[in-house]
Amino acid sequence: MLASTTLWPSTIVSAHSFRLVTRIAAWSGMRLGEICHLRKEDLQTIEGVPCFVIRPHPGEGWSPKTEAGTRVVPVHSRLIATGILSLAETIEGPWLVPGLDMSKQGMRGANFGRSFSLLKTRLGLPAEITFHSFRHTVSTQLRNASAEIREVWIDRLLGHEATHRSQGTSTYLGCITPQNLRQTVEAITYPAHLLASNTL
């Protein structure tokens, strides 16, 4: 429902940017700020795996929320099917998501946040449903997924601080590969009737 552009109220943020932001959120669990601050060069192939690279951008004064927030997030196959890997070649400017404003505090996407709140109102959704609900949904799905998906992989994918900060855990976290994370992100799934069209 929240990924549908039918009722998208904004004339400032395009329906294309709305689809892009909400689909990345739904298929990755990334935070709104992380998505809005993605640059085109942050879409990279690492060890053969297409990934979003979430990292500080000192030039605009933005950095991930926590140290663990600096990470790579493999691109879900559903996003790849929409053609997202070729976006950098078709979008003008440095950003992966075009048409978002930059606040005085260096935060990008405030206009998106306001329009998203208005969309919620139009849909009659309760106040507790927010953009962050995409992230909660992904986290819940992954923690209920196959036992083959390890909790530390989920934490790394979502940029959560490890529950146990022992030396052994730190060493293991450093050994998590893009292939491990791709296996994790591919565990995200939705019922067929909730899936939007396969285009951006």
Side-chain angles (χ1 to χ4, degrees), residues 15-16 28 32 69-70 103 107 154 162 183 185:
H16 172 268
S28 72
L32 177 58
T70 299
S103 72
M107 298 300 295
I154 298 170
Q183 181 181 349
V185 83

Side-chain angles (χ1 to χ4, degrees), residues 37-91:
H37 282 272
L38 285 171
R39 288 178 168 268
K40 291 191 289 190
E41 64 264 28
D42 294 333
L43 193 56
Q44 300 180 14
T45 298
I46 301 174
E47 297 180 21
V49 179
C51 296
F52 299 110
V53 180
I54 305 171
R55 55 185 172 175
H57 290 300
E60 66 250 16
W62 181 85
S63 62
K65 187 176 180 180
T66 64
E67 181 180 348
T70 299
R71 65 198 191 279
V72 297
V73 176
V75 183
H76 196 287
S77 58
R78 291 286 306 195
L79 285 176
I80 293 175
T82 67
I84 196 170
L85 299 184
S86 62
L87 272 183
E89 303 169 6
T90 60
I91 292 176

